[in-house]
Amino acid sequence: MAGTVTQSSLELSPIGNCQVSALVDERAGFVWGCVPRVDGDPVFCSLLNGDRQDQGVWRFELEGQVSSSQHYKRNTPILVTRLEAEDGSAVEITDFAPRYEGSGRMYRPVAFTRIVRPVAGAPRLRVRLAPLHGYGSAEATTTNGTNHVRYRLGDQTMRLSTDAPVGYVLEGRSYRVEADQHFFLGPDEPFVGNIRSEIRRMEANTRKYWQHWVRGLHIPLEWQEETIRAAITLKLCQHEETGAIVAALTTSIPEAAGSERNWDYRYCWIRDSYYTVQALNRLGALDVLEKYLAYLRNIIDQARGGQIQPLYSVMGEAELHESFAENLAGYRGMGPVRVGNAAYKQVQFDCYGQIVMPTAQAFFDTRLLRMADETDFAHLEEVGEAAWAKHDKPDAGLWEFRTRQEVHTYSAVMCWAACDRLANVAARLGKGDRVRYWKDRAEAIRAKIEENAWSEEGGHYGASFESDYLDASLLQMVELRYLAPDDERFLKTFEAVERDLRRGDHMLRYAAEDDFGAPETAFNVCTFWLIEALHLTGRSGEARDLFCAMLSHTTRSGLLSEDLDYETGELWGNFPQTYSLVGIINSAGLLSKPWSDVR
């Protein structure tokens, strides 16, 4: 029913334009959205506002509402929500953030656009627009004119321009909707032109942009809709101004109920971004790769002696001090809500490989507008030197342990990959001496891994040089081309990982206790790594079944968060999680029947 407080869930649908984004719940409520960019102040924060879900939200409440349904317009992030009332009246709400080319540039304002259409009966609607600022600490102050409301949000102001009755909006009073109504919440400047015609033009142009972008993707024959939705959402996770790609759009959705494993994922992890551009590159989305490579070049330029930290802000800022948003209760009241991420201070040496590998493509791919040159190679060699120096040194690992360090096998393999790919690039540039130099280093790292990570007693690789415990990242040794899928050592390691970490249809990242105790949920990308390993080792039927089982856990919007309760199937962790969407794309491409089957 309208106005009732319901428990927060991850049944959310993202809209966005690669500058701002919002997560929309099943009842057409904006429950999460930050301005002026993804890591900004969440003016829509009711997702993390505990029982105060009527604050930090933008919702259209239909009197007597009994049901709702949602869908995206085909091949776009334009969302349509239908609300139906007990008397048969209904409205459709179309939500999008404008994005299209105009005047020689991409128009992607800090703005959200909503269209309300009465589609049955005589619907009565209440507009609840209650943004907050200061991470939930204060309500907006307002001023208004005939067709607009200005919302003062700390040091920024947003303006709602609308052809709906402004007085009803301000007072939250219900009224009868007899014609289409248009809402544009954006910069504090007068809306130019007729709002109805301009917003309809924005919608048409935005639809055209996204459908043409999707048209250029190379998608598999099977699971096309799932692949397209994952690809669109991954693109929404890129901050186009700089090219940075965030790990997720949210902060502090716990990895498990009451676990306090609440992290801010609105930043650019070198690791997560590598997997994202790798997946989109397989679909031919070179625009995302090109912009991300520009971001990496800036990071490399600023790195001292090739030293790279695990994550940066979308603007390339290095220091991301972690604090608590005291005025937000957290998802279902499960705080804390964190702002910033102290992992920026950690040492995670896998990042060197994840810098080199996507950049290496720029030396080979003639489709790129800007191919890499010898100057780029010189900078990249500095990163390779750091990989060489750190390949056998303790780090926090890809799972970002906060209280212990070991020499993690995954990090060492990534350092090997950095040197291996640099040898390939040197060969491309005709630098024979550098080919031998980097091959020698790659071979030396391999020897160190074989000596220290392989356990004769256990009969498998260990997650670290110091112990033989297992983690799911060992399955990536094939993807990184360190081992072949039929290599006896990989097969034995796969057998051990599956035995120790698989829980039914799902995979833990590790089973050993960490800083917060034993993991309680499966890590979705690890399940996709399991699916890939099953297929590559000849168990393709099982891999397909497991992939379909994973897809059954997606939200109605076709997306996944970071974690999943392997007993109840409930999603946990930040949303939408790029890792998990990468898994959908990679698994679909690997398992799909070929297009030749229909030709």
Side-chain angles (χ1 to χ4, degrees):
M1 293 177 62
T4 22
V5 174
T6 59
Q7 179 174 257
S8 294
S9 83
L10 296 183
E11 274 297 344
L12 304 169
S13 300
I15 63 168
N17 61 4
C18 304
Q19 174 66 40
V20 290
S21 56
L23 297 180
V24 188
D25 71 9
E26 297 173 281
R27 297 179 296 133
F30 281 21
V31 296
W32 184 258
C34 304
V35 295
R37 57 180 188 253
V38 63
D39 60 354
D41 194 358
V43 295
F44 302 118
C45 55
S46 67
L47 181 67
L48 301 185
N49 212 13
D51 292 335
R52 300 186 303 154
Q53 293 183 33
D54 59 342
Q55 294 180 311
V57 71
W58 186 4
R59 185 181 301 287
F60 297 102
E61 298 175 348
L62 180 65
E63 282 194 357
Q65 180 183 323
V66 292
S67 66
S68 66
S69 59
Q70 283 180 323
H71 70 275
Y72 282 109
K73 293 197 173 183
R74 192 172 74 90
N75 295 351
T76 77
I78 301 174
L79 183 68
V80 180
T81 306
R82 182 184 177 96
L83 306 178
E84 297 183 347
E86 55 192 355
D87 64 1
S89 61
V91 295
E92 282 189 349
I93 300 158
T94 301
D95 294 326
F96 67 98
R99 178 179 173 83
Y100 50 87
E101 292 186 21
S103 302
R105 60 183 178 82
M106 185 63 68
Y107 178 66
R108 43 174 170 75
V110 179
F112 305 97
T113 305
R114 316 194 74 175
I115 304 172
V116 177
R117 295 181 171 98
V119 292
R124 293 187 62 84
L125 205 65
R126 177 182 291 105
V127 181
R128 187 182 298 279
L129 178 48
L132 298 176
H133 63 93
Y135 281 84
S137 63
E139 298 179 10
T141 56
T142 63
T143 57
N144 64 280
T146 307
N147 301 111
H148 75 269
V149 182
R150 298 172 72 244
Y151 293 86
R152 181 71 176 174
L153 298 158
D155 59 359
Q156 60 188 346
T157 300
M158 299 191 76
R159 179 187 294 236
L160 174 71
S161 299
T162 182
D163 53 11
V166 167
Y168 289 157
V169 173
L170 281 170
E171 296 180 18
R173 187 183 299 275
S174 66
Y175 63 96
R176 181 166 170 164
V177 181
E178 297 182 334
D180 292 2
Q181 295 181 349
H182 305 80
F183 300 79
F184 184 87
L185 182 65
D188 184 23
E189 55 192 40
F191 191 93
V192 178
N194 178 280
I195 192 167
R196 175 188 177 93
S197 59
E198 284 301 307
I199 285 183
R200 287 172 180 258
R201 181 184 65 83
M202 289 179 185
E203 181 189 6
N205 287 342
T206 300
R207 182 175 66 250
K208 181 179 179 180
Y209 168 83
W210 285 104
Q211 290 181 342
H212 276 74
W213 184 80
V214 167
R215 188 182 179 196
L217 299 180
H218 176 68
I219 60 173
L221 174 60
E222 298 181 89
W223 303 296
Q224 292 184 34
E225 290 186 12
E226 293 86 348
T227 300
I228 289 170
R229 184 54 49 199
I232 288 174
T233 307
L234 286 180
K235 184 170 173 63
L236 293 181
C237 289
Q238 182 168 60
H239 183 67
E240 187 170 65
E241 181 181 356
T242 62
I245 300 168
V246 298
L249 298 178
T250 57
T251 178
S252 303
I253 310 296
E255 295 179 11
S259 66
E260 295 192 17
R261 299 174 187 260
N262 300 7
W263 314 115
D264 192 346
Y265 275 12
R266 300 171 300 156
Y267 306 109
C268 183
W269 269 259
I270 301 300
R271 177 188 315 112
D272 300 53
S273 299
Y274 156 69
Y275 281 108
T276 298
V277 297
Q278 178 198 51
L280 289 177
N281 189 48
R282 286 171 172 163
L283 300 180
L286 286 182
D287 59 331
V288 176
L289 172 65
E290 285 187 309
K291 292 181 185 303
Y292 179 62
L293 290 178
Y295 179 79
L296 282 187
R297 286 192 291 270
N298 277 306
I299 295 298
I300 293 170
D301 285 349
Q302 296 169 22
R304 298 177 180 177
Q307 299 296 313
I308 304 295
Q309 63 187 48
L311 70 153
Y312 298 84
S313 80
V314 296
M315 301 305 293
E317 182 182 1
E319 295 186 359
L320 305 171
H321 299 291
E322 189 172 300
S323 61
F324 297 141
E326 303 289 352
N327 293 284
L328 293 175
Y331 181 74
R332 299 183 185 173
M334 298 175 187
V337 173
R338 300 180 198 263
V339 181
N341 198 305
Y344 82 91
K345 294 185 285 190
Q346 291 184 348
V347 289
Q348 297 175 28
F349 299 139
D350 57 315
C351 64
Y352 298 119
Q354 290 142 359
I355 287 272
V356 171
M357 285 192 286
T359 307
Q361 179 174 337
F363 293 89
F364 293 87
D365 196 335
T366 59
R367 297 172 298 172
L368 296 174
L369 295 175
R370 183 198 181 279
M371 293 189 67
D373 56 24
E374 293 197 8
T375 301
D376 296 309
F377 180 63
H379 288 302
L380 207 57
E381 283 196 299
E382 293 182 8
V383 178
E385 292 292 354
W388 167 251
K390 302 296 186 183
H391 74 273
D392 59 352
K393 302 296 189 295
D395 73 350
L398 82 162
W399 308 125
E400 300 184 344
F401 297 120
R402 293 198 168 199
T403 59
R404 70 175 189 261
Q405 291 191 352
E406 296 177 327
V407 182
H408 289 94
T409 303
Y410 177 83
S411 296
V413 172
M414 273 293 182
C415 289
W416 166 86
C419 297
D420 178 75
R421 302 321 192 260
L422 277 166
N424 295 342
V425 173
R428 171 73 169 179
L429 296 175
K431 296 179 177 292
D433 59 328
R434 306 310 291 171
V435 173
R436 186 70 262 158
Y437 180 86
W438 288 111
K439 279 189 174 180
D440 287 347
R441 294 207 155 174
E443 289 168 6
I445 295 175
R446 178 184 284 275
K448 189 71 65 71
I449 294 169
E450 295 304 311
E451 177 185 354
N452 292 281
W454 177 261
S455 167
E456 289 291 348
E457 181 179 352
H460 58 75
Y461 289 100
S464 77
F465 286 12
E466 290 84 352
S467 61
D468 64 352
Y469 79 94
L470 295 157
D471 81 39
S473 69
L474 295 167
L475 301 181
Q476 287 288 283
M477 298 175 92
V478 169
E479 171 65 28
L480 295 172
R481 303 204 306 267
Y482 182 84
L483 295 175
D486 60 353
D487 187 291
E488 189 64 27
R489 288 193 169 192
F490 176 73
L491 293 173
K492 288 181 177 179
T493 300
F494 179 26
E495 180 182 2
V497 168
E498 187 176 13
R499 180 189 64 238
D500 283 16
L501 302 184
R502 185 169 178 176
R503 300 292 186 270
D505 289 340
H506 306 285
M507 181 73 85
L508 303 180
R509 50 187 163 177
Y510 49 83
E513 288 196 3
D514 61 14
D515 314 341
F516 291 81
E520 302 173 61
T521 52
F523 205 69
N524 288 327
V525 73
C526 297
T527 303
F528 287 114
W529 290 349
L530 169 64
I531 291 167
E532 293 170 11
L534 288 170
H535 172 73
L536 292 171
T537 55
R539 298 160 63 184
S540 296
E542 189 176 349
R544 286 179 66 95
D545 290 344
L546 197 55
F547 182 46
C548 291
M550 277 300 293
L551 292 178
S552 73
H553 292 291
T554 61
T555 60
R556 294 185 185 90
S557 55
L559 305 176
L560 287 167
S561 62
E562 182 183 45
D563 307 275
L564 185 146
D565 186 317
Y566 51 83
E567 293 183 349
T568 67
E570 184 174 9
L571 294 176
W572 289 91
N574 283 305
F575 178 89
Q577 174 71 17
T578 53
Y579 263 156
S580 303
L581 304 184
V582 163
I584 291 175
I585 291 172
N586 289 346
S587 295
L590 201 61
L591 299 172
S592 173
K593 298 174 183 176
W595 278 97
S596 58
D597 282 8
V598 296
R599 292 173 184 159

